[in-house]
Amino acid sequence: MEILMILTVGILTTVGTYLILTKSLLRVVFGVMLLSHGAHLLLLTLSGLKEGAPPLLGEDAASYQDPLPQALILTAIVISFGVTAFLLVLAYRTYKEHKTDDLDQLRGNADE
Amino acid sequence: MAIFVPFFYKWFRHIHTGWFVLVLPLLLFIYLLQFLPVGGSMETLELTVPWVPSLGINFTIYLDGLSLLFALLITGIGTLVVLYSIYYIANKKDEPLNNFYVYLLMFMGAMLGVVLSDNLIVIYVFWELTSLASSLLIAYWFHKEKSRYGAQKSMLITVTGGFAMLAGFSLLYVMADQTFSIRAIIDQADIIAQSPLFIPAMLLILLGAFTKSAQFPFHIWLPDAMEAPTPVSAYLHSATMVKAGIYLAARLTPVFAGAPEWFWLLTGFGLMTLIWGSISAVRQTDLKAILAFSTISQLGLIMSLLGIGSAAVHYDYAEVEMLYTTAILAAVFHLINHATFKGSLFMVVGIVDHETGTRDIRRLGGLMTIMPITFTISLIGVASMAGLPPFNGFLSKEMFFTGVVNATTLDIFNVQTFWYLLPVIAWVASVFTFVYCMIMFFRTFTGTYKPEKLEKKAHEAPMGMLISPIILASLVVIFGLFPNLLAYTIIEPTMQSILPNVLEEGERFYVNIYHWHGLNTELFMTAGVILFGMLVFLNLKRWQEAKFFLKERDPLNAVYDRGLDGLVTGSQRVTNLQMTGLLRDYFVFMMVFLVAMLGWTMIRYNAVVFDFVNVSEISPYLWIITFVLIAATISIPFIQHRITAIIAIGVIGFLLALLFVVFRAPDLALTQLLVETVLVVLLLLAFYHLPELRKAKFTAKFSLPNLIVSIGVGLVVTLTAFSAHAMNHEFGFDRISSYFVENSVPLAGGYNMVNVILVDFRGLDTLLEVLVLAIAALGVVTLIKHKMKGGEDV
């Protein structure tokens, strides 16, 4: 299971990087989202995916899933959500101001 | 004192500021004269003021023969130059006199600091101060383009050398058991000579000395420094600053002398400078330019004599050695002579410039009867520079020839191979020296007077302006006729400081300078110089047609100018190459660096480990989710429409939530679902509000480099993850989570461990995360609500 997940993480990272390297601003935002998905999944995978009960003590099970990475990921999800939302609105404003989403056209002066 | 100059300038407008300044160097000179017997009887003065004691940096004043000689030159000629400048810059209203004297005093103080310090770092500090003051003085008329160019050039070259020197000093510090004191270093000269850092330190320090003293090929700044006011040229660029390098070489001779590299570097560069300077001087038409190249050539002479003299360290003080110490004697003597006659010549040129309005020898002529005193002074100076018998230049030139001829008999350092070169170069250079002296003298003062070419009506200079050159010229005569006045008062102690370990206890160098020492080689050489010099001068017209003489500027200037331009354009090109202004390129730089660094590290340390032992089973349900997730991810770059892409992104997010469910993380699944929903809504909103873009095609062109970079990134991440996974099991540390499992209920009273961690065990993270959300929300609101008015480009 870990092997499969790690491969998935690799693919998410690859596609995310590729999207960031393209010209469209929206695709850059997509790339950032994919990269954060990959990071979250990696965090979970590396903490071990052994079968265990959900980290709820009421379950009264013999072993639980590790709660710490889950807390970390939860924090990360919320933060990346905030950042992504902000990025999106930023992209939205950029469209409105410049009527383009092509990063090449958004370039500053060459001799700055 | 320099601090007070502007106040004097402001408060006493009617009195020339220079009079106030004049007092200081005069007092210093008289004060220093007291030490003459001190220096003569081997006793030295010491005074220490701690500055940075923890690093061993102290203001230590150490006065011995060498320092005293330089200090006397600096203050003595300084006094005369200030006196001269009072009359030279006579126009009180137009010139910013306070600047001039502030810079001049700053220079004088710095120069005294260089020669009196015993501490290398303090020397370096004062050294750079002289560079700075010199630049300020060169650019005194800063509205002139050429002045600024000359100042920049001298600054760049001397500071480059200064840095090299600092590096050399640091090496000395390391070699000599962590001390900056020159005397302590000299005591350890034997240890230092064994060190592997010996040669680098020598090269670096010599680079500093050569740049400062305008040695070949770093001499190019000196002719351009002639844009300075003439008193400055006389003071800095003939008598003092350019001799700082000589001082340094002489001061460190006890450390480095004895090594063949030192001998050859000093002698070789000195002779090269000597001949190059004297040949270049011949083709100049500006009097100050002739003097500049002449200074260069004479400095080369002194430097080469120091080099030859360093051979003395190889022998015990015996009869053989006498021959080589003569070279040091000649160097010291010529140092004094050069300061006197070159100072007076610069002042004479200044007078000619001042009274006729030009310094161009093609426009001057026939001034002999008009300016008789100036004429006499320059006759003395020029004759001394050319090395004619009654004056001191003759004596030092004779000794120079003696030194060079003696050097041919050296049986060390492979001198046997090149022995004939030394006297030949020296002799040819002397011929050229003679020629340019003749040019200077005859073109200025003899021939026909050409009033139509001159801006002013030529007349004799005011008396005040003539005082300083007269004093210097009379010194030239006095030293010429009675050279032994100087012998045991100043020259001998100086030689002792340069060659401290050569003498036995109680011995003294035998210094006797006399005009007539029999019919020997040197005398014939001098006669030949005069003869050939005459011949060349009389046929000068024919010689000047040779192409070399047509170019007025030094060919090495082209190297400097092109180098400086190349540096500017080159760095611009490099900057433009990498700073493209495209986000993508910067991202590629970062990613490539990341991949290269991580990849190299992993391969270097064999960190790539695959471990399939400790893996869990995969359920069919998971297979399906993962497959769909991967498919959706890979499809995104190929999707044509925005809507579809947004949906695909949503799919990925929801599948991730499903994965969280499978991995038994209920809170994560919940959050992920909510967040993804909101994001998709946001995406659609952003998309919906942009009607003009809706129709535009969304797919990007395929780019292979981007693909390679992203595959590289993905690969590195995957490999890192694999290795981490494998290592994780290999080392098998216990997780700290058992603590949370055990203590959630007893300590925090909660059953949901994730939530307990978030708000109880690690509540601070959550607090700040809330802050992040708040800031993001504020940012979003600001972006949407507040539009920048006034057309600022966002």
Side-chain angles (χ1 to χ4, degrees):
Chain A
M1 199 145 61
E2 280 85 352
I3 309 296
L4 186 66
M5 284 304 115
I6 287 173
L7 284 177
T8 317
V9 168
I11 289 164
L12 278 171
T13 323
T14 310
V15 176
T17 313
Y18 185 78
L19 286 177
I20 284 183
L21 292 177
T22 52
K23 276 203 257 184
S24 160
L25 203 50
L26 199 58
R27 291 165 73 101
V28 173
V29 178
F30 287 172
V32 172
M33 288 170 74
L34 287 187
L35 278 183
S36 56
H37 286 334
H40 301 157
L41 195 54
L42 188 63
L43 268 176
L44 197 63
T45 308
L46 286 184
S47 74
L49 298 174
K50 284 201 192 73
E51 303 283 324
L56 300 170
L57 286 173
E59 297 273 310
D60 211 15
S63 71
Y64 295 101
Q65 288 289 94
D66 195 342
L68 188 61
Q70 295 193 11
L72 291 181
I73 294 168
L74 198 61
T75 311
I77 288 177
V78 175
I79 289 177
S80 65
F81 163 69
V83 172
T84 313
F86 183 71
L87 263 181
L88 261 177
V89 176
L90 207 60
Y92 164 77
R93 269 306 292 272
T94 316
Y95 284 143
K96 282 222 140 179
E97 295 286 333
H98 296 284
K99 307 285 178 224
T100 178
D101 74 335
D102 189 341
L103 278 176
D104 284 4
Q105 291 173 27
L106 286 171
R107 192 177 156 188
N109 288 332
D111 54 357
E112 265 175 357
Chain B
M1 179 71 185
I3 297 169
F4 298 116
V5 167
F7 296 109
F8 284 127
Y9 178 66
K10 269 218 140 125
W11 293 340
F12 305 100
R13 294 300 302 224
H14 53 288
I15 309 173
H16 197 288
T17 321
W19 290 112
F20 299 111
V21 177
L22 184 63
V23 183
L24 179 73
L26 191 64
L27 285 179
L28 275 175
F29 183 71
I30 294 165
Y31 174 72
L32 284 167
L33 273 180
Q34 289 177 24
F35 289 104
L36 266 185
V38 177
S41 59
M42 281 291 285
E43 280 169 47
T44 48
L45 177 91
E46 269 189 71
L47 199 70
T48 304
V49 181
W51 182 23
V52 192
S54 56
L55 293 177
I57 300 174
N58 301 308
F59 279 118
T60 304
I61 289 179
Y62 175 69
L63 194 69
D64 63 353
L66 184 62
S67 306
L68 188 63
L69 166 66
F70 272 89
L72 282 175
L73 278 181
I74 291 162
T75 48
I77 296 185
T79 313
L80 297 176
V81 160
V82 170
L83 181 65
Y84 175 76
S85 71
I86 290 172
Y87 290 94
Y88 184 80
I89 312 183
N91 198 337
K92 283 186 284 190
K93 300 269 152 42
D94 295 350
E95 299 288 353
L97 278 177
N98 53 342
N99 290 354
F100 182 79
Y101 288 111
V102 168
Y103 298 158
L104 198 70
L105 283 183
M106 175 177 153
F107 172 79
M108 199 182 291
M111 197 65 209
L112 280 174
V114 167
V115 299
L116 293 179
S117 296
D118 180 52
N119 194 292
L120 289 176
I121 295 299
V122 177
I123 286 190
Y124 173 73
V125 169
F126 283 121
W127 184 278
E128 292 299 359
L129 268 179
T130 64
S131 290
L132 180 65
S134 155
S135 268
L136 287 171
L137 282 168
I138 294 169
Y140 174 61
W141 289 305
F142 50 82
H143 45 83
K144 283 197 208 158
E145 165 89 44
K146 275 187 134 183
S147 299
R148 296 199 304 268
Y149 172 79
Q152 188 205 28
K153 193 175 188 177
S154 79
M155 189 76 177
L156 283 177
I157 293 180
T158 52
V159 169
T160 308
F163 278 140
M165 196 182 77
L166 181 62
F169 283 174
S170 315
L171 291 183
L172 271 186
Y173 176 74
V174 173
M175 282 189 286
D177 199 20
Q178 321 266 307
T179 175
F180 280 120
S181 160
I182 292 179
R183 269 163 307 144
I185 288 172
I186 289 173
D187 289 341
Q188 305 180 41
D190 295 340
I191 307 167
I192 290 169
Q194 309 289 324
S195 165
L197 296 173
F198 180 68
I199 297 292
M202 179 200 288
L203 287 178
L204 286 168
I205 290 176
L206 273 186
L207 188 63
F210 283 173
T211 48
K212 198 75 163 186
S213 283
Q215 299 291 303
F216 186 87
F218 309 109
H219 63 272
I220 50 174
W221 66 267
L222 189 60
D224 282 308
M226 290 301 130
E227 292 301 321
T230 304
V232 173
S233 307
Y235 188 40
L236 272 68
H237 307 128
S238 68
T240 51
M241 185 176 110
V242 288
K243 291 199 172 121
I246 304 273
Y247 169 78
L248 191 71
R251 179 52 90 198
L252 293 177
T253 294
V255 181
F256 291 113
E261 292 86 357
W262 178 263
F263 173 83
W264 276 115
L265 279 172
L266 282 188
T267 315
F269 275 93
L271 285 177
M272 186 66 209
T273 315
L274 169 65
I275 192 157
W276 185 271
S278 61
I279 292 177
S280 304
V282 174
R283 61 174 191 225
Q284 305 298 320
T285 54
D286 182 350
L287 283 174
K288 271 176 98 175
I290 297 181
L291 284 178
F293 278 106
S294 137
T295 304
I296 291 168
S297 118
Q298 310 270 327
L299 289 171
L301 188 151
I302 299 173
M303 197 63 103
S304 67
L305 279 173
L306 280 180
I308 292 170
S310 75
V313 178
H314 254 262
Y315 302 95
D316 291 326
Y317 188 60
E319 291 200 1
V320 194
E321 192 181 296
M322 258 304 290
L323 301 172
Y324 308 117
T325 50
T326 317
I328 297 282
L329 168 66
V332 175
F333 191 49
H334 193 70
L335 186 79
I336 302 170
N337 293 343
H338 179 250
T340 53
F341 69 69
K342 195 51 68 68
S344 73
L345 282 177
F346 265 111
M347 289 172 183
V348 163
V349 167
I351 291 170
V352 170
D353 187 14
H354 206 261
E355 305 306 332
T356 64
T358 183
R359 299 195 307 254
D360 194 332
I361 52 171
R362 287 166 300 195
R363 289 159 70 187
L364 290 168
L367 295 178
M368 181 156 58
T369 47
I370 301 167
M371 306 166 79
I373 305 177
T374 319
F375 162 75
T376 318
I377 298 166
S378 60
L379 174 70
I380 295 170
V382 163
S384 175
M385 185 157 78
L388 291 181
F391 304 105
N392 58 7
F394 171 71
L395 302 170
S396 48
K397 183 137 295 184
E398 290 285 277
M399 286 193 286
F400 169 55
F401 284 147
T402 316
V404 171
V405 170
N406 286 339
T408 59
T409 61
L410 275 179
D411 51 0
I412 47 169
F413 309 149
N414 298 321
V415 177
Q416 300 95 321
T417 332
F418 304 105
W419 65 271
Y420 49 87
L421 273 180
L422 302 178
V424 168
I425 292 177
W427 189 79
V428 172
S430 297
V431 172
F432 277 105
T433 307
F434 191 78
V435 172
Y436 70 70
C437 289
M438 303 261 286
I439 294 178
M440 245 190 93
F441 181 70
F442 285 109
R443 292 287 156 80
T444 314
F445 292 103
T446 61
T448 48
Y449 176 52
K450 304 165 219 167
E452 72 281 355
K453 285 190 177 175
L454 299 179
E455 285 157 26
K456 300 177 188 170
K457 194 167 158 26
H459 59 85
E460 186 57 270
M463 204 50 217
M465 218 167 171
L466 286 169
I467 296 173
S468 309
I470 286 176
I471 292 174
L472 284 175
S474 41
L475 282 180
V476 170
V477 178
I478 292 171
F479 293 161
L481 295 178
F482 311 103
N484 288 323
L485 270 183
L486 294 170
Y488 283 99
T489 45
I490 184 73
I491 295 181
E492 200 273 341
T494 308
M495 287 173 68
Q496 281 189 4
S497 344
I498 299 178
L499 301 170
N501 297 324
V502 175
L503 284 187
E504 300 291 318
E505 196 69 32
E507 273 184 310
R508 308 197 70 175
F509 287 106
Y510 174 68
V511 179
N512 195 6
I513 309 163
Y514 44 90
H515 278 267
W516 181 255
H517 33 140
L519 280 174
N520 51 15
T521 334
E522 297 88 351
L523 197 66
F524 288 124
M525 279 169 86
T526 307
V529 165
I530 296 173
L531 200 66
F532 271 89
M534 294 278 204
L535 279 178
V536 172
F537 179 69
L538 293 176
N539 297 318
L540 206 58
K541 282 266 149 53
R542 219 174 302 153
W543 279 74
Q544 273 170 335
E545 281 160 20
K547 201 156 187 194
F548 183 73
F549 289 95
L550 291 178
K551 278 193 223 153
E552 198 173 314
R553 279 170 67 77
D554 199 291
L556 284 170
N557 274 314
V559 177
Y560 166 83
D561 287 337
R562 220 169 292 153
L564 204 61
D565 286 349
L567 202 65
V568 172
T569 50
S571 54
Q572 271 173 353
R573 206 172 300 155
V574 169
T575 311
N576 287 342
L577 206 66
Q578 52 169 1
M579 306 305 280
T580 51
L582 291 177
L583 180 68
R584 201 165 59 235
D585 290 347
Y586 304 145
F587 201 77
V588 168
F589 295 154
M590 292 188 322
M591 285 303 156
V592 167
F593 179 71
L594 183 87
V595 169
M597 200 179 67
L598 275 178
W600 184 80
T601 315
M602 288 174 76
I603 292 167
R604 169 77 178 70
Y605 294 103
N606 275 329
V608 187
V609 186
F610 294 99
D611 179 14
F612 301 111
V613 183
N614 213 330
V615 287
S616 5
E617 299 257 323
I618 305 172
S619 61
Y621 183 52
L622 194 66
W623 272 118
I624 298 167
I625 296 174
T626 317
F627 179 74
V628 179
L629 181 67
I630 292 174
T633 311
I634 291 179
S635 69
I636 285 184
F638 301 101
I639 289 173
Q640 298 273 342
H641 296 284
R642 272 157 210 279
I643 290 271
T644 328
I646 291 170
I647 291 170
I649 283 284
V651 166
I652 294 170
F654 292 129
L655 285 174
L656 203 64
L658 268 183
L659 276 182
F660 289 149
V661 172
V662 172
F663 296 141
R664 294 175 184 76
D667 302 284
L668 284 188
L670 196 65
T671 322
Q672 179 68 28
L673 270 175
L674 282 173
V675 160
E676 203 58 33
T677 317
V678 175
L679 269 183
V680 168
V681 169
L682 259 177
L683 278 168
L684 283 172
L685 271 177
F687 172 72
Y688 182 76
H689 277 286
L690 299 163
E692 67 269 28
L693 275 167
R694 200 182 297 172
K695 299 270 160 53
K697 263 209 155 184
F698 186 59
T699 38
K701 264 192 269 172
F702 172 73
S703 153
L704 189 64
N706 287 355
L707 185 67
I708 293 172
V709 170
S710 26
I711 287 180
V713 173
L715 203 65
V716 164
V717 169
T718 317
L719 287 179
T720 316
F722 270 132
S723 311
H725 178 68
M727 299 286 182
N728 191 5
H729 297 293
E730 199 171 303
F731 293 116
F733 287 115
D734 280 342
R735 291 164 189 276
I736 55 168
S737 296
S738 51
Y739 171 82
F740 295 122
V741 177
E742 281 159 21
N743 290 313
S744 265
V745 175
L747 285 184
Y751 289 91
N752 185 337
M753 281 186 278
V754 174
N755 289 6
V756 166
I757 290 175
L758 278 176
V759 297
D760 197 320
F761 289 121
R762 301 181 58 88
L764 203 61
D765 294 353
T766 315
L767 183 72
L768 294 177
E769 167 198 337
V770 170
L771 191 67
V772 167
L773 269 190
I775 291 173
L778 274 176
V780 166
V781 169
T782 323
L783 271 177
I784 292 176
K785 287 262 178 182
H786 299 266
K787 297 213 165 150
M788 195 83 82
K789 296 274 161 62
E792 194 174 323
D793 191 22
V794 190

